[in-house]
Amino acid sequence: MTAEILEAKPIVEKMRAELEAQVDAMDRAPVLVALMAGDDAGARAYAKMQAKACAEVGIEYELRELSRDLTDETLQQEIRRLSIDPVIDGIILQSPLPGGLDEPAAQGAIEPEKDVDGVHPMNLGLVAADRDALAPCTAQSAVRLIEETGVELRGAEVVVIGRSVIVGKPAALMLMDRGATVTVCRSTTRDLAFHTKRAEILVVAIGRAEMIRGEQIMPGAVVIDVGMNYVPGDDGARGRYVGDVAFDEAVEVAGAITPVPGGVGPLTVTMLLKNTVEAAKRTR
Ligand code: NAP
């Protein structure tokens, strides 16, 4: 059996066309401000993607570089200042912050209605309460890719590996809200394969290159690979990105699987656009 490949591209194109039409209908373009502290290469690459995606649908995007001698206090002050600026609809704090800075405290300083990355505890709380929220973008992307397969979520056995605040936990809550029976595994899980082998839907968000092998997957399962791991090439050759799932093995067993790159990642950026448009509608 060869799995259906769940490419993000068709969903991304459809969603972006819808978002562009919604932006066109607004009195002024939504404004998204991204805050960058430090020089993390991954954060810079993500910011570039955000700028391009925003331009495509007509969202005004501004990347603000924060000073190098930032403290928790000055960072939170800046975030609070932006939070009360009526021109700004969305704020995203590029992660990771330079070492020593308190990221959860900075996230908590964002006005929840402008928290388009869905990282404020209030938005996470709303997700847990099955209420309308600006939910974390990656979790939304994983759930949307599952829904796109048409698989019945009510009563489905779902296993999520990873319980991070921005991916595993909210994805598990959102799937629970849709009627699935959800098990969340983590590094302390005693027998990971026991859980993965009985998962009709497997969401993997660990951060370890190709850790989940084909033999750990139930035949016909829907596999959502959130992982994004850089593997350097041999002898200085250019490296490549791989997921947390060994794709070549899994594709022979699963019923449907997301590729890396080209699956969860591109849709995550589109969910950021969606949240920004949503935030603009709410605050105006
Ligand atoms: P994280 O905060 O580091 O969390 C990793 C989770 O994996 C933790 O819950 C950890 O368990 C669990 N884990 C670690 N080793 C394990 C093992 N051997 N067995 C079972 N569970 C294990 O990571 P994250 O931010 O959720 O990101 C996960 C992956 O997704 C990374 O590759 C990241 O690059 C990628 N990602 C992709 C996107 C995208 O849009 N494509 C966005 C965000 C993240 P404990 O809690 O017990 O430590």
Side-chain angles (χ1 to χ4, degrees):
M1 182 160 84
T2 303
E4 175 196 351
I5 310 298
L6 298 172
E7 302 269 1
K9 203 170 171 218
I11 314 172
V12 166
E13 283 172 358
K14 185 167 171 268
M15 279 184 68
R16 291 199 186 171
E18 287 165 4
L19 290 167
E20 194 180 353
Q22 289 173 35
V23 170
D24 275 350
M26 289 177 156
D27 54 347
R28 63 176 175 84
V31 177
L32 171 59
V33 172
L35 297 173
M36 175 77 76
D39 228 356
D40 182 75
R44 294 242 164 235
Y46 189 38
K48 240 188 203 169
M49 260 191 263
Q50 291 164 2
K52 189 166 170 275
C54 282
E56 264 178 52
V57 301
I59 293 173
E60 237 174 73
Y61 179 86
E62 191 192 329
L63 183 67
R64 292 200 188 174
E65 303 278 348
L66 295 164
S67 79
R68 297 206 169 252
D69 51 4
L70 205 61
T71 64
D72 284 326
E73 205 186 323
T74 53
L75 173 60
Q76 287 166 37
Q77 263 170 11
E78 173 68 0
I79 293 171
R80 285 200 195 92
R81 200 180 58 75
L82 297 173
S83 288
I84 54 168
D85 184 336
V87 172
I88 295 166
D89 298 292
I91 300 166
I92 178 169
L93 185 61
Q94 304 292 7
S95 176
L97 290 178
L101 287 173
D102 186 342
E103 195 160 323
Q107 291 167 338
I110 303 171
E111 159 64 39
E113 300 231 318
K114 296 187 179 184
D115 167 37
V116 288
D117 208 16
V119 294
H120 190 285
M122 188 173 123
N123 281 317
L124 293 163
L126 289 171
V127 172
D130 301 341
R131 299 253 306 273
D132 228 20
L134 293 172
C137 301
T138 309
Q140 285 197 64
S141 167
V143 172
R144 176 68 191 262
L145 283 159
I146 295 170
E147 288 178 332
E148 206 64 21
T149 66
V151 68
E152 177 64 85
L153 271 164
R154 282 178 68 82
E157 285 293 335
V158 175
V159 172
V160 177
I161 316 179
R163 45 124 218 170
S164 71
V165 174
I166 54 152
V167 191
K169 247 182 234 171
L173 290 166
M174 289 162 80
L175 292 165
M176 226 188 284
D177 186 33
R178 286 161 176 75
T181 301
V182 183
T183 303
V184 179
C185 299
R186 55 180 295 193
S187 62
T188 52
T189 299
R190 265 191 233 116
D191 185 352
L192 192 62
F194 165 79
H195 296 285
T196 59
K197 277 184 192 167
R198 60 172 187 78
E200 293 161 348
I201 299 166
L202 181 63
V203 178
V204 189
I206 307 172
R208 304 248 164 121
E210 301 180 324
M211 192 184 117
I212 301 301
R213 314 304 306 190
E215 68 199 17
Q216 291 170 279
I217 294 167
M218 184 170 91
V222 172
V223 179
I224 306 295
D225 188 354
V226 180
M228 183 62 103
N229 310 287
Y230 184 73
V231 179
D234 292 331
D235 298 329
R238 205 164 157 197
R240 66 195 174 104
Y241 281 95
V242 300
D244 290 345
V245 177
F247 184 86
D248 291 349
E249 294 176 15
V251 77
E252 298 298 329
V253 188
I257 185 168
T258 55
V260 177
V264 174
L267 192 50
T268 296
V269 187
T270 307
M271 292 302 175
L272 177 69
L273 307 181
K274 176 179 150 283
N275 276 356
T276 304
V277 171
E278 190 59 46
K281 282 186 191 162
R282 285 182 192 192
T283 51
R284 289 177 194 182

